[in-house]
Amino acid sequence: MTGNENAGNRSVEDEDHDGFLQRLGPGLITGASDDDPSGIGTYSQAGAQLGFGIGWTMLITYPLMVAIQEISGRIGRVTGHGIAGNVCRNYPVPVIWSLIVLLFIANTINVAADLGAMGDALKLLIGGPGTLYVVAFGGVSVIAQIFFKYERYVSILKWLTLVLFAYVIALFLAKVPWDEALRGLLIPKVQWGGTFLTTLVAILGTTISPYLFIWQSSQEAEEQRIDPDKKPLKREPHKEQEEIKRIRIDTLVGMAVSNLIAIAIIMTTAATLHASGKTDIESSAQAAEALRPVAGALAELIFALGIIGTGLLAIPVLAGSTAYAIGEGRKWPVGLSRKPKEAAAFYSVLTISVALGVALNFTAIDPIKALYWSAVINGVLAAPIMTIMMLLVRRRSVMGDLVVRGPVYWLGWLATAAMAFCIVGMAVSVAGWE
């Protein structure tokens, strides 16, 4: 038996002894970070306004999310570069910079909204100054990303995904009419009113967001930087089957977690807030507070703790995806595995993004309107990025012999078309809002 075969056997044995969570990575963290505090606000609003009848959208979006995120992961694993790194190598400079500027703006607003929601949630639990908590959460996030060892930091993010199951607990604390809830989940019910269409657009924009593509592709590339035995897959095509299977399982689990939690939030708020006639929920913290009179103090506590935990998970992904995109676009040394001196510009972008997010909480800007415009920018940005991704994965100059084919490829185009619909819907909503 050769040394390579021994190494292969050892890796299989090691894998068998590791826990299932340890074998998951970028896909799990990406999926879990999709349920950030602003996303929780969107799902809470959906459940409060439309009740159980909107639950089916989570089943429809699942295969679209899986396809586009798997494609993102494949780009990073096959090429050794994230999405931005590939765009800057294959498209004119104005293309990458127009995308990067919009991503920076959208992610920074999202960071601000998430920090504000976390501050409000902690204030709800223990009182005190919410703005001070915003600063503290922002500082903890930046310090952890810069100074924690990469492997330890990724492990922390993976374990933080467990906090999402607070919303499953909250669901079982509510009195849910399960027959009605399951009908809403399994039988599509379309309403052609403005509220339904706007909510549908918001859900699409929340579940399929550019920062998720950037993060998963960049993390697949990052894993190759820290593992001397890993090379870009197009240089090791014999590993294709094993690696694509890993990425697919990781993504299937990550997106399943994301949508399972979204379903729990929609059902909880539908069974409590919608059922009691409270439909004017505008934020995740407001949803937590509103749960107290209808579902009890424990449900409010669990909901609020979930907001804080998901924020600690999502903010690094938001700020990190911005830093990866700008760093790869400029061909800087990038990566959370690098020491601060080795990637000073990368960490500077990450810090600036969080710092601006903190600062926005001290302005007179309405956080709900800011989040709305962030969703608009994300919608405008997502479809072009997805289109570029779909074109990249069929280029042999980019993917070698590992171009993406089959159902995943066509589901990727279907997800892109859904996001194009999202942009049209948002444009109509904005016109009506103005």
Side-chain angles (χ1 to χ4, degrees):
M1 183 177 287
T2 66
N4 285 341
E5 288 171 334
N6 279 325
N9 287 339
R10 281 197 300 273
S11 67
V12 171
E13 289 168 8
D14 290 343
E15 194 171 298
D16 288 337
H17 286 94
D18 286 340
F20 182 61
L21 184 62
Q22 267 61 42
R23 292 201 293 270
L24 301 174
L28 175 65
I29 295 170
T30 301
S33 68
D34 194 22
D35 292 320
D36 66 329
S38 60
I40 293 166
T42 298
Y43 300 134
S44 298
Q45 187 179 44
Q49 287 187 336
L50 298 169
F52 298 113
I54 196 71
W56 62 271
T57 57
M58 291 295 99
L59 298 186
I60 297 295
T61 58
Y62 178 67
L64 304 182
M65 292 171 69
V66 168
I68 205 68
Q69 290 301 145
E70 180 181 322
I71 288 168
S72 303
R74 285 205 204 185
I75 289 173
R77 184 67 186 91
V78 170
T79 67
H81 303 289
I83 290 169
N86 279 289
V87 171
C88 77
R89 287 167 172 81
N90 291 276
Y91 290 93
V93 171
V95 174
I96 184 66
W97 278 105
S98 61
L99 298 178
I100 283 173
V101 168
L102 287 173
L103 183 74
F104 182 86
I105 294 170
N107 282 3
T108 300
I109 293 173
N110 228 329
V111 166
D114 286 355
L115 285 170
M118 293 163 72
D120 287 345
L122 190 56
K123 181 180 178 181
L124 184 66
L125 294 178
I126 65 174
T131 50
L132 177 62
Y133 303 146
V134 166
V135 174
F137 285 132
V140 166
S141 173
V142 170
I143 289 168
Q145 288 180 89
I146 294 176
F147 295 108
F148 277 29
K149 190 177 179 182
Y150 175 75
E151 292 86 345
R152 180 181 299 173
Y153 187 62
V154 169
S155 177
I156 290 170
L157 290 181
K158 283 199 281 189
W159 283 107
L160 265 175
T161 62
L162 296 177
V163 101
L164 289 169
F165 289 94
Y167 295 107
V168 177
I169 297 171
L171 173 63
F172 285 98
L173 290 173
K175 295 178 180 178
V176 179
W178 288 105
D179 55 342
E180 186 181 349
L182 290 174
R183 277 200 306 273
L185 182 64
L186 300 175
I187 303 172
K189 182 181 178 183
V190 178
Q191 304 169 29
W192 295 110
T195 300
F196 176 84
L197 291 175
T198 301
T199 303
L200 182 61
V201 164
I203 286 173
L204 275 173
T206 299
T207 55
I208 304 176
S209 294
Y211 76 90
L212 302 173
F213 322 149
I214 302 289
W215 176 264
Q216 186 161 350
S217 65
S218 295
Q219 285 301 288
E220 286 292 343
E222 183 89 356
E223 295 287 339
Q224 295 168 56
R225 280 192 285 272
I226 66 171
D227 187 345
D229 295 328
K230 274 189 177 181
K231 297 181 179 64
L233 203 55
K234 66 180 179 180
R235 288 162 52 189
E236 298 182 319
H238 60 281
K239 293 184 178 179
E240 177 190 14
Q241 188 173 357
E242 173 191 351
E243 285 297 291
I244 298 306
K245 180 181 178 182
R246 176 190 60 79
I247 291 171
R248 180 165 296 163
I249 291 172
D250 189 18
T251 305
L252 283 166
V253 172
M255 299 309 120
V257 168
S258 174
N259 280 25
L260 174 66
I261 302 309
I263 289 168
I265 294 167
I266 289 171
M267 286 186 173
T268 300
T269 51
T272 54
L273 306 183
H274 181 79
S276 63
K278 189 168 184 61
T279 61
D280 57 344
I281 299 300
E282 291 187 324
S283 70
S284 51
Q286 191 181 353
E289 190 172 14
L291 282 175
R292 176 187 281 267
V294 287
L298 184 56
E300 177 195 38
L301 171 67
I302 290 171
F303 216 83
L305 287 174
I307 292 166
I308 295 167
T310 57
L312 289 171
L313 174 65
I315 286 171
V317 176
L318 281 160
S321 66
T322 302
Y324 276 114
I326 293 177
E328 289 174 358
R330 294 287 295 170
K331 298 185 180 178
W332 293 337
V334 300
L336 296 171
S337 60
R338 298 185 192 272
K339 296 188 185 322
K341 288 183 180 179
E342 297 171 344
F346 168 82
Y347 285 114
S348 295
V349 172
L350 191 153
T351 303
I352 289 168
S353 180
V354 176
L356 287 174
V358 170
L360 283 174
N361 281 277
F362 289 85
T363 67
I365 296 173
D366 182 336
I368 302 303
K369 285 187 178 179
L371 194 58
Y372 183 92
W373 283 106
S374 170
V376 171
I377 294 169
N378 268 323
V380 170
L381 182 58
I385 290 183
M386 292 164 75
T387 301
I388 289 171
M389 285 168 53
M390 297 310 299
L391 295 173
L392 283 173
V393 296
R394 291 303 284 257
R395 283 193 181 187
R396 290 192 178 275
S397 60
V398 175
M399 302 290 286
D401 293 330
L402 306 182
V403 293
V404 177
R405 300 183 180 89
V408 170
Y409 178 72
W410 295 112
L411 276 172
W413 274 118
L414 184 59
T416 305
M419 282 310 302
F421 166 78
C422 182
I423 292 173
V424 173
M426 283 184 176
V428 172
S429 299
V430 170
W433 187 47
E434 292 291 345

